[in-house]
Amino acid sequence: MSTAKEKRQQELAIDMKQGMDYDELINCMRCGFCLPACPTYRESGGNEAASPRGRIALMKAVVDGIMEPDEDFEKQLSQCLGCRACEPACPSGMKYGFLLENARDIIQKKKKHSMPVRLLRSIVFNELFPKPNRMRTVSTLLWFYQNSGIQKIAQTTNLTKIAPGNLSVMERVLPKIPHPSKLKSRPTQVKAEGQVKKKVAFFSGCLMDTMFMDTNNSTLFILSKSNCEIVIPKKQNCCGALHAHSGEKDGAKQLAKENILAFENVHADYIISNAGGCGALLVDYSHLLKDDPEWADRAKVFSAKVKDISEVLFEVGMPKMILDNQIVTYQDSCHLRNVMGTFSAPRKLIQSIEGVTYSEMKDADRCCGSAGVYNIIEQEMSMQILDVKMHEVKATKARTLVTANPGCLLQMKLGIERAGLQKDVRAVHIVDLLAEAIRKAEENLNNLNKGKKI
């Protein structure tokens, strides 16, 4: 008689056989071009199972009935960052990210979590991220924590060190949460400052329009200054990236449909994202809903319009930008580079700022170890990758470290804390840097007009 565990593995093997794209699995030529691009392969000392090629072989072995989908199998899929750096390196055009997300979704449907984990996942995936009002409530609680004196007391008395893993450091690098009143009065339209060059629809996101609201405000400011007319659809929701990467594909599909509905009657030239992780899933809506007859074509139209803000700003042209003399380096957002194909535009924008000396970081295209909640659930590997990254940051001699995704930004701030570089290096989102540079240029011009020395 088989045990419950064995029965679950048998059912999981059947679901993998029925649910995985076998044509994509056999598309892997086993050439090994993906190996040097994979962070977990490198950091594991060359463990084949910790590579994209190895993980594809594991998936295929389960589908072919050669091996059972045991705990080691699940662990290898869990330890993948999902950075998708293997995809640009693959000569056969493997869509590894789609295989990984599909496998994780199948595994989650059969996984028997403990009651606390089930409750936590239900709250996060069903009751928090898809509910904008609740996201604002959480942000309000964080604002109260930061501004009531509780945070100061917790830090000075070392109460924050009770938090497991690196959460105590993460608490210190959280952005300043906007006042609750500002969260409730978000704009739905912003006019271009001059003659309109493009009409754009802005995907404001969930975390970006609460915890990182100042960055969204910088985005609207820059787009207006660059003569873009901006529409912000009110009924948009979370992009669903966290769901898709965590084996909650049905939730991701539902959020995709809500966002397509919110944007499809706007008639904008582009749908703009300022977060690499969000943008990557938005362009993947066409794949996510490809088997849904009602939504497949609508998803294609939506995804075709999605662009990262840096691409649009580079296309329409920026106003004059100035900063105090400083060395600046850039860390790629994995999904922005590997999925959306955006890598030169951010660099060119940074290099166009007067006073900036740009220093390219070695392996800037390699993952920082953030990967959504990876730095919490796979802390050891994440910190190993981050420490290597901070070594490369130091080598640039940069005063300012720029990235283009909120998770990457927090991870970079965490790395700065771990490396003791708080007095020497700051980490900023690219749109905040550009907004700072525009305001500096305007301030200099105003002072010049008033006859003041600059």
Side-chain angles (χ1 to χ4, degrees):
M1 183 180 292
S2 62
T3 66
K5 183 178 179 180
E6 289 171 339
K7 184 179 179 181
R8 175 187 168 274
Q9 287 184 356
Q10 291 167 3
E11 291 174 350
L12 180 54
I14 293 171
D15 289 349
M16 288 282 291
K17 188 175 182 65
Q18 294 175 344
M20 295 299 293
D21 185 340
Y22 198 76
D23 288 339
E24 193 64 44
L25 284 172
I26 62 175
N27 194 28
C28 176
M29 301 187 303
R30 301 195 57 77
C31 63
F33 283 13
C34 61
L35 300 183
C38 178
T40 54
Y41 175 77
R42 293 193 309 273
E43 297 304 321
S44 66
N47 178 8
E48 176 71 17
S51 72
R53 182 176 69 178
R55 291 182 175 113
I56 291 169
L58 291 175
M59 292 182 222
K60 185 175 180 296
V62 169
V63 171
D64 288 340
I66 298 172
M67 67 172 283
E68 295 292 331
D70 55 16
E71 291 179 2
D72 288 339
F73 168 75
E74 293 184 27
K75 183 179 179 181
Q76 280 301 343
L77 296 193
S78 175
Q79 284 191 338
C80 178
L81 289 144
C83 69
R84 295 171 72 168
C86 51
E87 293 185 15
C90 179
S92 61
M94 283 289 302
K95 294 298 181 184
Y96 172 80
F98 297 158
L99 288 174
L100 178 69
E101 288 176 4
N102 200 26
R104 284 177 171 175
D105 183 59
I106 293 169
I107 289 169
Q108 281 301 324
K109 282 182 168 61
K110 292 295 182 184
K111 202 166 185 67
K112 299 296 183 183
H113 290 295
S114 64
M115 178 60 76
V117 172
R118 287 204 306 272
L119 180 61
L120 180 61
R121 289 182 68 91
S122 177
I123 290 172
V124 170
F125 295 120
N126 302 326
E127 305 301 330
L128 182 57
F129 279 85
K131 307 289 176 64
N133 286 337
R134 292 178 185 173
M135 290 294 293
R136 286 191 283 270
T137 298
V138 170
S139 291
T140 297
L141 292 173
L142 282 172
W143 174 86
F144 180 77
Y145 170 74
Q146 288 180 340
N147 292 274
S148 63
I150 296 175
Q151 183 181 41
K152 188 175 182 180
I153 293 170
Q155 290 179 348
T156 54
T157 58
N158 289 326
L159 281 175
T160 55
K161 291 185 177 179
I162 297 173
N166 56 26
L167 289 179
S168 62
V169 182
M170 292 289 285
E171 181 268 347
R172 293 202 301 272
V173 301
L174 285 175
K176 291 294 292 182
I177 308 299
H179 190 280
S181 63
K182 293 181 179 179
L183 295 173
K184 295 177 182 177
S185 56
R186 302 302 291 143
T188 56
Q189 192 163 358
V190 178
K191 294 181 179 179
E193 190 164 288
Q195 185 176 357
V196 176
K197 293 181 179 178
K198 295 289 181 182
K199 180 180 179 181
V200 300
F202 178 48
F203 184 81
S204 53
C206 50
L207 283 177
M208 291 303 298
D209 216 41
T210 49
M211 287 177 60
F212 294 88
M213 194 186 78
D214 288 341
T215 300
N216 270 6
N217 289 341
S218 293
T219 301
L220 300 178
F221 169 77
I222 296 169
L223 287 168
S224 177
K225 287 286 181 181
S226 301
N227 295 322
C228 291
E229 178 187 348
I230 314 150
V231 178
I232 307 101
K234 197 170 184 178
K235 292 187 178 180
Q236 62 179 291
N237 209 331
C238 169
C239 68
L242 186 63
H243 294 71
H245 304 330
S246 304
E248 298 284 342
K249 199 179 241 186
D250 290 342
K253 288 180 178 180
Q254 179 57 39
L255 288 167
K257 292 173 184 178
E258 290 179 27
N259 286 321
I260 291 168
L261 273 174
F263 281 83
E264 66 183 350
N265 293 320
V266 173
H267 306 299
D269 297 308
Y270 302 123
I271 297 170
I272 289 185
S273 167
N274 62 3
C278 296
L281 190 72
L282 298 180
V283 300
D284 276 350
Y285 278 2
S286 55
H287 173 80
L288 190 65
L289 298 173
K290 66 182 176 64
D291 296 323
D292 190 318
E294 181 184 350
W295 292 92
D297 289 340
R298 295 160 77 179
K300 284 181 183 177
V301 172
F302 177 95
S303 293
K305 286 189 173 184
V306 175
K307 275 186 177 285
D308 183 69
I309 184 171
S310 62
E311 293 279 10
V312 176
L313 292 174
F314 184 70
E315 177 185 337
V316 301
M318 293 283 291
K320 187 175 180 62
M321 298 186 289
I322 299 173
L323 286 174
D324 293 335
N325 291 341
Q326 59 189 283
I327 298 174
V328 177
T329 194
Y330 178 73
Q331 164 64 25
D332 285 287
S333 157
C334 292
H335 285 168
L336 181 58
R337 182 173 182 126
N338 301 326
V339 182
M340 298 184 74
T342 295
F343 51 90
S344 63
R347 289 167 167 82
K348 289 177 180 177
L349 290 172
I350 294 169
Q351 290 167 352
S352 69
I353 302 172
E354 186 179 322
V356 162
T357 300
Y358 181 75
S359 178
E360 179 69 16
M361 187 196 311
K362 182 185 176 185
D363 297 331
D365 59 336
R366 290 184 178 175
C367 186
C368 65
S370 171
V373 295
Y374 187 93
N375 57 1
I376 297 173
I377 61 175
E378 297 287 348
Q379 182 188 332
E380 184 178 351
M381 179 62 76
S382 175
M383 294 304 100
Q384 193 173 331
I385 292 168
L386 178 59
D387 290 343
V388 172
K389 180 65 63 178
M390 293 314 298
H391 175 77
E392 305 301 349
V393 171
K394 288 180 188 177
T396 67
K397 309 293 184 185
R399 168 71 182 87
T400 301
L401 169 59
V402 180
T403 188
N405 187 61
C408 302
L409 180 61
L410 290 179
Q411 183 81 338
M412 291 296 94
K413 289 185 174 183
L414 175 60
I416 289 169
E417 289 273 339
R418 283 172 62 87
L421 297 174
Q422 301 94 315
K423 294 180 181 179
D424 303 311
V425 183
R426 63 169 181 156
V428 298
H429 192 289
I430 187 169
V431 297
D432 290 317
L433 183 79
L434 298 176
E436 179 187 341
I438 292 172
R439 291 189 174 102
K440 177 75 172 177
E442 290 179 342
E443 180 187 347
N444 284 1
L445 181 61
N446 288 336
N447 288 339
L448 194 63
N449 290 337
K450 291 176 184 178
K452 295 181 180 180
K453 288 185 178 181
I454 299 175

